[in-house]
Amino acid sequence: MAQSLSFLLALSLLAFVPLCFCDKTLGGYLYPQFYDHSCPRATEIVKSVVSKAVAREARMAASLLRLHFHDCFVQGCDASILLDSSKNIITEKRSVPNRNSARGFEVIDEIKSAVEKECPNTVSCADILALAARDSTVLSGGPNWEVPLGRRDSKGASLSGSNNNIPAPNNTFQTILTKFKRQKLNIVDLVALSGSHTIGDARCTSFRQRLYNQSGNGSADFTLDQSYAAQLRTRCPRSGGDQTLFFLDFVSPTKFDNSYFKNLLASKGLLNSDEILVTKSQVTKQLVQQYAENTELFFEQFAKSMVKMGNISPLTGSRGEIRKRCRKINSINQTA
């Protein structure tokens, strides 16, 4: 009798598994409880390391959030951005959007090392990126959300994908929207996810053209508040100072809030890709106005869009691998 009950219980559990993997409300083939049995402390470990890193340097929150974004837009959310160059891999870290810009890799290494000690060969680097992005947002005062888990790690990277698919500060509105739509993200996701610029920094080289030569005629960008532009010019000269950092949101640069959208309405968005949300589309302008007026609405949509972005083409099941070290695929790890 006991054996037959065990058999029925096993069957009922097996019958339930496909529901977990296929329920679209839980992020497609991913679901938040993925590590509940195989590594129950995984999320706790990620949060602990991220908390210490952000306490050391507030800017790290934005850096970790950006890593997840730059990962998902290239080959899907597969931790390809973390791979170093090797015999068969050209790293995405060399791409224009990532070179001298993407950072936080050491924090991911620290998380992975701690998780490997707890649960060897279990938690993917791709899931660590997704969790670290959520924790960074929460630690900065932003919204919380359940992160669907179960991604696996790629065995390759795409330098061309990184150069071509990640939205750039000087892209036109239509180009940026096309890059989002390519990932099955819509215009609402575009505005909400742009709100991540409420924290973090940008380099002088990312917006210099707005100060001196926006349209190729030697004139500054007329959509940029002129007093703000003059202030920026004092530290971002016509030449030199490429790596000088500026707050994306000068009002509350380390606090995740809706002041980014208020800045846009005041013509004080730092990047061209920020300000065009107000100047190039009535739809995006209305969304900017709504988020500027209603923090709760912005937070709610940001969380939804982050889950949606985190579900871009994940590797699941037997595809990909669980990397032992996030910077190298396992075959290289074993021969190194």
Side-chain angles (χ1 to χ4, degrees), residues 21-261:
F21 278 89
C22 300
D23 190 342
K24 289 293 178 187
T25 63
L26 293 178
Y29 294 94
L30 312 174
Y31 57 101
Q33 301 82 13
F34 189 84
Y35 297 112
D36 279 7
H37 299 294
S38 60
C39 193
R41 291 192 60 240
T43 55
E44 178 190 331
I45 291 168
V46 175
K47 185 179 180 181
S48 173
V49 177
V50 172
S51 297
K52 290 171 189 169
V54 172
R56 287 193 300 266
E57 182 194 16
R59 180 189 172 203
M60 188 54 69
S63 299
L64 293 173
L65 181 54
R66 187 165 177 256
L67 273 187
H68 183 43
F69 177 83
H70 280 213
D71 179 45
C72 289
F73 268 64
V74 184
Q75 300 187 162
C77 307
D78 63 357
S80 61
I81 193 173
L82 303 178
L83 289 170
D84 287 339
S85 288
S86 63
K87 184 180 177 182
N88 299 312
I89 293 170
I90 302 174
T91 181
E92 292 171 16
K93 297 172 186 178
R94 289 185 190 171
S95 72
V96 174
N98 293 330
R99 190 170 59 240
N100 300 319
S101 178
R103 60 196 298 276
F105 299 107
E106 297 79 9
V107 177
I108 301 299
D109 291 340
E110 189 180 344
I111 296 169
K112 181 60 173 172
S113 177
V115 170
E116 282 296 308
K117 284 178 186 171
E118 178 80 12
C119 321
N121 309 310
T122 304
V123 181
S124 70
C125 301
D127 278 344
I128 287 172
L129 281 174
L131 288 166
R134 187 272 310 273
D135 293 340
S136 294
T137 301
V138 174
L139 286 163
S140 303
N144 197 356
W145 63 90
E146 277 197 310
V147 180
L149 301 165
R151 301 166 190 81
R152 288 167 65 84
D153 301 322
S154 68
K155 297 181 183 179
S158 175
L159 180 62
S160 62
S162 188
N163 276 321
N164 296 325
N165 294 342
I166 296 171
N170 58 351
N171 280 162
T172 65
F173 172 76
Q174 199 54 53
T175 298
I176 293 173
L177 183 58
T178 298
K179 288 181 176 181
F180 268 75
K181 285 183 175 178
R182 200 180 291 158
Q183 308 298 342
K184 296 183 170 56
L185 297 172
N186 61 32
I187 200 165
V188 177
D189 301 314
L190 165 57
V191 179
L193 293 173
S194 294
S196 63
H197 286 179
T198 182
I199 55 175
D201 305 322
R203 296 171 297 154
C204 166
T205 187
S206 298
F207 61 88
R208 175 184 280 120
Q209 89 285 346
R210 296 192 74 199
L211 304 179
Y212 303 102
N213 191 27
Q214 175 70 355
S215 303
N217 59 1
S219 299
D221 186 349
F222 70 91
T223 70
L224 185 62
D225 178 86
Q226 292 309 297
S227 62
Y228 182 47
Q231 187 183 335
L232 295 172
R233 277 192 286 266
T234 62
R235 291 180 53 235
C236 184
R238 198 176 288 270
S239 63
D242 286 7
Q243 306 305 316
T244 304
L245 295 173
F246 293 77
F247 295 133
L248 284 161
D249 168 12
F250 66 92
V251 174
S252 51
T254 60
K255 188 173 190 299
F256 200 103
D257 55 23
N258 69 338
S259 58
Y260 162 81
F261 296 107

Side-chain angles (χ1 to χ4, degrees), residues 258 261-263 265 287-295 298:
N258 69 338
F261 296 107
K262 295 175 182 177
N263 295 341
L265 295 173
L287 287 165
V288 167
Q289 290 170 332
Q290 288 174 20
Y291 297 152
E293 293 167 7
N294 191 332
T295 303
F298 164 47

